[in-house]
Amino acid sequence: MNLIRLACAAATAVVLWTQPGLAQGGSVERLYILNCGEGVAGDISRWSPGVNVGKSMDFVDNCYLIKHAQGWMLWDTGLADAIAALPEGQAPRDPRMTHWRRPKTLAAQLEQLGVKPSDIKYVAVSHTHPDHIGNVELFPQSMLLVQKAEYEWPSPVGPRFKAEHPVTKLEGDRDVFGDGSVTIISTPGHTPGHQSLLVKLAKTGAVLLSGDAVHFKSNWDNRGVPEGNFSKEQTVASMQHMADIMAKQKAQLWINHDKAQRDGLKLAPEFYD
Ligand SMILES: [Zn+2]
């Protein structure tokens, strides 16, 4: 009888011990910003209608690598690494859009950090535009975290992901590691199943990674809704939802495509903790 009690107590202790976050309230060790593209947007009024008509702007494209006690997670995969081999980069069909280059591949940046593609437990994408999902198939074993509405959004060019790629189709927010340290936030509007990511770091504090819920700072300040967005109403509601979260969590907003902001941030191999 005593032995059984002892065994039960031990089992309970193991369960409590292995539940992340109970001890320190989160276990994100590092957040790296990776260079997943650089480009020039032809006309930024495309993203904020009526504002700065005809004005071009330098854009960047980021991926974010998270080292959590339970494993590695990649947020967005950027432009396809193959673009790095194109001397002129990738010109857009519409000159008002973005002419992209890829100064460094994602693969090379991971290698520099000593991270193998098979080390990545989760690959989550903000949405399925090509500058965010360009390298998903570098990680054929990683669990893909994408909203069901995004996964099932019909594409004129065929399926966005390989059918055999392991996937968790989300319907709303998701606490990725179960300890509140990394949370996917549903922010539809730019696309049907767009999502953003809230990361809580011990020293840096909370950071909200925008995805394309917003494209650059003045776009956020003006609550500009890009002309190609899936839903204007959802976009505006998602921006307000993000603002509410930022106020509550005292979170910084890191805007994926904002070059001026990225110029002031540390890129890998430096990191935030
Ligand atoms: Zn997009």
Side-chain angles (χ1 to χ4, degrees), residues 19-239:
Q19 265 187 6
L22 286 180
Q24 282 131 18
S27 309
V28 179
E29 295 167 10
R30 294 177 173 199
L31 171 62
Y32 293 92
I33 304 175
L34 307 177
N35 182 343
C36 278
E38 295 179 2
V40 181
D43 181 348
I44 56 169
S45 70
R46 211 191 146 270
W47 290 273
S48 282
V51 181
N52 291 316
V53 176
K55 195 180 163 207
S56 76
M57 186 190 264
D58 289 345
F59 269 19
V60 291
D61 192 31
N62 294 323
C63 302
Y64 302 86
L65 179 66
I66 294 161
K67 183 175 194 241
H68 186 278
Q70 292 176 44
W72 291 93
M73 172 177 173
L74 184 65
W75 173 250
D76 276 339
T77 67
L79 293 154
D81 274 0
I83 292 173
L86 305 176
E88 304 295 328
Q90 188 183 59
R93 277 163 300 157
D94 173 356
R96 297 173 71 223
M97 294 181 74
T98 313
H99 189 141
W100 287 115
R101 290 170 291 108
R102 235 234 193 247
K104 292 176 171 183
T105 63
L106 174 59
Q109 291 172 83
L110 291 176
E111 196 180 337
Q112 191 190 2
L113 295 171
V115 177
K116 295 191 295 294
S118 59
D119 294 336
I120 307 284
K121 187 171 183 181
Y122 298 112
V123 170
V125 292
S126 58
H127 65 299
T128 53
H129 283 158
D131 51 329
H132 297 262
I133 60 165
N135 299 297
V136 165
E137 290 310 331
L138 266 182
F139 312 94
Q141 301 156 358
S142 308
M143 177 59 70
L144 182 60
L145 302 177
V146 61
Q147 295 291 320
K148 185 168 183 274
E150 191 77 8
Y151 193 91
E152 293 175 354
W153 185 29
S155 162
V157 292
R160 296 174 168 85
F161 302 111
K162 288 194 172 169
E164 63 270 28
H165 199 122
V167 61
T168 303
K169 296 175 196 169
L170 306 173
E171 293 179 80
D173 297 352
R174 170 65 67 102
D175 179 350
V176 177
F177 295 101
D179 62 0
S181 64
V182 179
T183 310
I184 290 174
I185 310 282
S186 170
T187 50
H190 181 61
T191 58
H194 187 279
Q195 53 190 13
S196 303
L197 192 72
L198 181 67
V199 184
K200 293 181 184 168
L201 291 155
K203 289 188 198 154
T204 309
V207 177
L208 182 61
L209 304 178
S210 65
D212 279 4
V214 54
H215 286 74
F216 44 88
K217 175 132 189 328
S218 75
N219 181 222
W220 169 256
D221 293 342
N222 294 313
R223 293 291 189 269
V225 178
E227 55 191 55
N229 271 19
F230 176 73
S231 162
K232 185 172 182 178
E233 291 70 29
Q234 285 185 340
T235 302
V236 171
S238 288
M239 283 197 254

Side-chain angles (χ1 to χ4, degrees), residues 250-269:
K250 297 184 176 60
Q252 305 175 48
L253 177 64
W254 286 5
I255 303 174
N256 191 312
H257 291 306
D258 190 311
K259 180 176 187 295
Q261 185 182 43
R262 192 179 83 176
D263 285 347
L265 294 172
K266 296 182 283 190
L267 288 175

